[in-house]
Amino acid sequence: MAKKNFISIADHTEKEINYLIRQSYNLKAQARAGKKHELLPGESLAMIFDKPSTRTRVSFDVAMYELGGHAINISAGECGLGARESVPDVARTLSRFCDAIMIRTFGHETAVELAANAAVPVINGLTDLLHPCQAMADALTMYEVTGDLKGVKLTYIGDANNVTNSLINLADKTGIDITVCSPKGYTPDKKIVGDSKYRLLSDPSAAVKKADFIYTDVWVSMGQEKSSARKAKAFKNYQVNARLLQKAPKHAKVLHCLPAHRGLEITDEVIDDPERSIVFEQAENRLHAQKAILVYLLK
Ligand code: CP
Ligand code: NVA
């Protein structure tokens, strides 16, 4: 059987994605009950980081440990992916030592090239284009609140970036009803999410009116720092704050993939609101969602 990768949610069937969400829910229940779930004994994951990380790095490391395996961190400086050594040669070498590779990098094509040349599964831990592992954790987080993702109203406010693209992919597979609310010039790239169903609005008040979940992410993603001043202007009316939440249903919960730029895309009072914000549950769910992905790829 051909090896599987996890580069984009779009590469997988509805059945597979919904199975992964249920598995992450089950694995979280097992972890909470203190039950051992060493499903990958002795297996090794190589993790290549060309960009910084807290959640992705630690959650993959802990996931491998709790599954009975182990993870190896390879920072940009050490590996020199594409500079010190070609991407295919790194793929071939790591495939001889490890059972899977996780990569966080800039160009999406680097992750695709790595996957094409690796004999083992490759997982996308974020590229400029997509953040599929994040969206799988987000799916678990919304599923825990609602018990069913079909028809759940998710409103994403802000820069249509890697996180947004993967949320749109997730909506395609799960029946989530997604609205993206971004200013002109920062809407989803048709080349990436062209055939997907999503509602595009530019007025945040209208966008949150019926939302079950309100999601935001940084206006300036890693590697785009030069655009900070321009974006601060473009997004000034797109902050998720208490005034905006007054326009949303009382039950609406707030999501953010983190790290947050407090005071820009989200205010302290919202992110720290125990009634509204579930961002740290969401962060924890990276661990459980990625365990499901690892087991699915390696078993
Ligand atoms: N959400 C997320 O991917 O966090 P890190 O950048 O800290 O890994
Ligand atoms: N869009 C953000 C997500 C960080 C997890 C970035 O790419 O920096």
Side-chain angles (χ1 to χ4, degrees):
M1 204 172 68
K3 63 127 181 168
K4 294 177 276 196
N5 300 301
F6 200 77
I7 299 294
S8 170
I9 288 176
D11 299 337
H12 300 273
T13 64
E14 271 178 37
K15 204 170 153 198
E16 285 164 344
I17 294 301
N18 288 289
Y19 166 80
L20 282 173
I21 298 166
R22 280 197 310 279
Q23 280 302 94
S24 59
Y25 184 85
N26 294 339
L27 284 163
K28 183 171 182 176
Q30 286 188 38
R32 281 282 199 270
K35 283 197 193 134
K36 276 209 184 308
H37 43 283
E38 293 180 344
L39 300 166
L40 301 177
E43 308 233 12
S44 297
L45 172 73
M47 306 190 293
I48 303 173
F49 283 99
D50 282 343
K51 290 182 180 180
S53 170
T54 301
R55 279 145 290 269
T56 305
R57 154 118 207 246
V58 177
S59 57
F60 266 110
D61 198 331
V62 173
M64 283 306 289
Y65 175 76
E66 291 184 1
L67 290 169
H70 106 133
I72 301 147
N73 189 54
I74 309 164
S75 62
E78 277 171 305
C79 173
L81 189 67
R84 179 172 181 265
E85 192 167 11
S86 76
V87 173
D89 284 354
V90 171
R92 291 172 193 127
T93 303
L94 291 179
S95 298
R96 297 290 174 130
F97 300 131
C98 297
D99 303 286
I101 305 168
M102 194 285 311
I103 179 163
R104 164 167 290 197
T105 191
F106 293 86
H108 188 70
E109 58 289 351
T110 305
V112 172
E113 191 182 10
L114 192 78
N117 289 281
V120 299
V122 173
I123 302 171
N124 178 356
L126 181 147
T127 62
D128 289 343
L129 221 62
L130 297 174
H131 198 357
C133 295
Q134 179 66 54
M136 293 307 291
D138 303 338
L140 171 60
T141 311
M142 292 185 275
Y143 179 77
E144 286 177 322
V145 174
T146 61
D148 187 5
L149 292 178
K150 268 210 169 50
V152 162
K153 291 191 167 46
L154 169 64
T155 294
Y156 178 90
I157 299 190
D159 187 33
N161 57 20
N162 43 12
V163 168
T164 328
N165 292 335
S166 286
L167 288 173
I168 291 173
N169 292 158
L170 176 75
D172 276 341
K173 303 292 175 186
T174 56
I176 289 173
D177 177 355
I178 187 166
T179 297
V180 176
C181 181
S182 312
K184 220 168 129 214
Y186 298 98
T187 55
D189 185 338
K190 285 259 159 43
K191 284 204 290 291
I192 301 157
V193 293
D195 297 335
S196 300
K197 244 178 52 193
Y198 62 94
R199 194 178 297 103
L200 187 60
L201 295 178
S202 57
D203 173 13
S205 302
V208 300
K209 213 167 153 205
K210 293 185 180 159
D212 298 311
F213 296 93
I214 298 166
Y215 197 131
T216 191
D217 182 18
V218 292
W219 296 336
V220 178
S221 284
M222 291 179 278
Q224 303 176 352
E225 289 74 11
K226 274 201 198 124
S227 64
S228 297
R230 184 164 37 88
K231 282 187 146 177
K233 262 196 211 157
F235 287 97
K236 72 176 187 323
N237 296 325
Y238 289 78
Q239 186 183 65
V240 175
N241 55 32
R243 197 155 34 87
L244 182 65
L245 288 195
Q246 278 172 7
K247 309 274 170 48
K250 284 220 159 35
H251 71 268
K253 301 282 183 209
V254 172
L255 298 166
H256 192 309
C257 57
L258 304 177
H261 293 162
R262 288 166 174 258
L264 291 177
E265 78 277 1
I266 194 161
T267 57
D268 287 337
E269 61 184 340
V270 168
I271 202 167
D272 296 330
D273 179 347
E275 293 300 315
R276 293 287 204 173
S277 170
I278 50 173
V279 302
F280 292 105
E281 197 68 31
Q282 181 186 5
E284 181 195 321
N285 285 342
R286 294 292 303 277
L287 172 67
H288 311 295
Q290 285 155 199
K291 277 183 187 168
I293 293 167
L294 287 162
V295 173
Y296 162 74
L297 295 176
L298 288 170
K299 282 297 246 188

